[in-house]
Structures are given as structure tokens and as C-alpha cells.
Amino acid sequence: MDSTGSLAAALADPAPTAARLLLGALLTANDVTVRIVEVEAYGGVGEDPASHAYRSRSERNSPMFGSPGTVYVYFTYGMHWCANVACGPAGSAAAVLLRAGEVIGGNELASSRARSRLSDAKLASGPARLARALRIDGTFNGCSVLTPDSPVRLTASESGWPISSDAVCSGPRIGIRSATDWAWRFWVEGSPAVSSYRAGIRR
DNA sequence: CTATAGATAATCT
DNA sequence: GATTATCTATAGA
């Protein structure tokens, strides 16, 4: 089986399993390629209070209900785009949030797109920066990362994927206010691009 | 280095 | 009208 077929099989798994299998895969869009090093899993309707799909299907979250590999992009905090990939059986509304990646191609382009001057390691460190480096916005909604002519593509090199489970860490998800004790965030140990956010956010 | 406040708009109630 | 799966500038140690 080729690597794209393996990825397709991985995306059909439940969110936490699919999430950890996305680590080490390559994401390409707009002439920039990143190696995914940090992700979070989100569940479907009625099963994950932190998920955008928790309440019900809406116009915004409808891409989450698509087949595995469907891209769901949302706009938040008045200025940031964040990218997800639907996973699990079609209609389950589970998804994986792409939180961080190492830029391995199109470095200068990614740098020129950044809102501020950033070191190479931080160009795609954080969900909004990742989307910005690849210039992913709302027009990508509904695309599939598994379709050859899609503007966003997910691939895997046979040598670098999947990542050894020894190198994968997990912990609580970031920036949410419910289900904070679910260890549904996964990252590659030691990657300089993994975001190191502060724990306590005061309001 | 750490900690905090402010920006800024679509979506949902 | 409140909330938000964030980032950056700025202040202080």
C-alpha cells in the first residue's frame, strides 16, 4: 500500500488515534510544506463538550461532517484562521486540529507571510501561524487533503512516517474550558516548533 | 526569561 | 450581547 492509502486508513480511525497518526505527515499548500508536529483531537455531536460539533451541525461546522480528510477551517479571535481535518467515519463529525509544524519547504514564502518577524522554528508554531504560513483561509473549507488536485495535500514519506510511539507525548488540550482533563493533545517530543503555552489564562 | 492586556469579527444564544 | 480550539506588543524581573 502506498503512503497516501495508509494516511487515508489512519484518518478513518477515531479522533485520538487519527490525531497521533498525523504526526510526522507532510502538509503542503500554496508552495509551502510543513511536517506536522502538534495536533489536537475533537469529537462529534454530543460526545465532546469542547468540540465545535458538540451541539449540532451548523453552517460553520458542516465540513466536520464530511468524509475523512475533509478540511474544516474556522475564523476566531477576530483575526486568526485555524485548520482541521475531519476524521473517523463520514458523518461522525470528529476532527483533528493542526496546531504546529516544522517548515521544510518554501521557507522564505512562509517567512514573508508571517505577521511579525519569526525564527524559522516558529513560522508554523501554533494553529493560527500554521494556517498563515500555508495561506489557508475560509476558501479551503470542504477540500480534501487526500485528493490529488486539492489546494491542500497530506502526504507521508515512507522513511519518516509513522512516528515511533516513543517520540509522541500527550496532554490536555489548550485554550478550551471544558473536558480539560482529556489528554487529546499530541506532539512530537523535542520538536522546536511545538508551542509552549502558559498554563493559566486569567480572565 | 515570564506575565498580562488588547486586538478584532464571525458565530451562537 | 457574550463568547472564542490565538497571537503579539509591552512591561517587569
Side-chain angles (χ1 to χ4, degrees):
Chain A
M1 186 187 280
D2 63 30
S3 60
T4 301
S6 300
L7 274 173
L11 285 171
D13 284 326
T17 307
R20 82 158 47 210
L21 283 170
L22 282 183
L23 295 174
L26 306 183
L27 186 73
T28 304
N30 291 315
D31 301 312
V32 170
T33 298
V34 301
R35 173 176 173 260
I36 297 171
V37 296
E38 184 184 0
V39 296
E40 282 177 5
Y42 285 90
V45 178
E47 64 181 40
D48 177 4
S51 172
H52 284 176
Y54 180 58
R55 288 187 162 280
S56 63
R57 181 173 187 148
S58 70
E59 189 169 347
R60 176 167 76 148
N61 66 23
S62 63
M64 293 178 72
F65 291 75
S67 57
T70 301
V71 176
Y72 164 47
V73 184
Y74 66 90
F75 191 69
T76 191
Y77 291 106
M79 61 186 98
H80 300 304
W81 293 102
C82 298
N84 301 250
V85 177
C87 63
S92 65
V96 177
L97 170 66
L98 307 177
R99 287 198 59 88
E102 298 168 357
V103 178
I104 62 171
N107 216 286
E108 290 185 11
L109 253 184
S111 183
S112 70
R113 289 169 183 164
R115 280 180 49 84
S116 64
R117 192 156 261 231
L118 297 171
S119 65
D120 282 5
K122 296 194 172 181
L123 285 175
S125 176
R129 287 193 195 136
L130 172 67
R132 197 176 179 95
L134 299 184
R135 197 174 276 168
I136 290 174
D137 61 22
T139 64
F140 285 67
N141 256 319
C143 296
S144 172
V145 295
L146 301 173
T147 304
D149 60 354
S150 169
V152 214
R153 292 277 289 131
L154 198 59
T155 55
S157 69
E158 293 187 13
S159 57
W161 187 88
I163 295 267
S164 160
S165 59
D166 292 343
V168 176
C169 299
S170 65
R173 293 173 291 182
I174 289 176
I176 57 173
R177 303 178 60 170
S178 48
T180 50
D181 54 339
W182 297 17
W184 276 21
R185 173 176 173 239
F186 304 93
W187 67 94
V188 178
E189 185 171 32
S191 169
V194 172
S195 46
S196 58
Y197 288 101
R198 52 260 170 190
I201 299 172
R202 309 262 298 265
R203 297 185 59 89

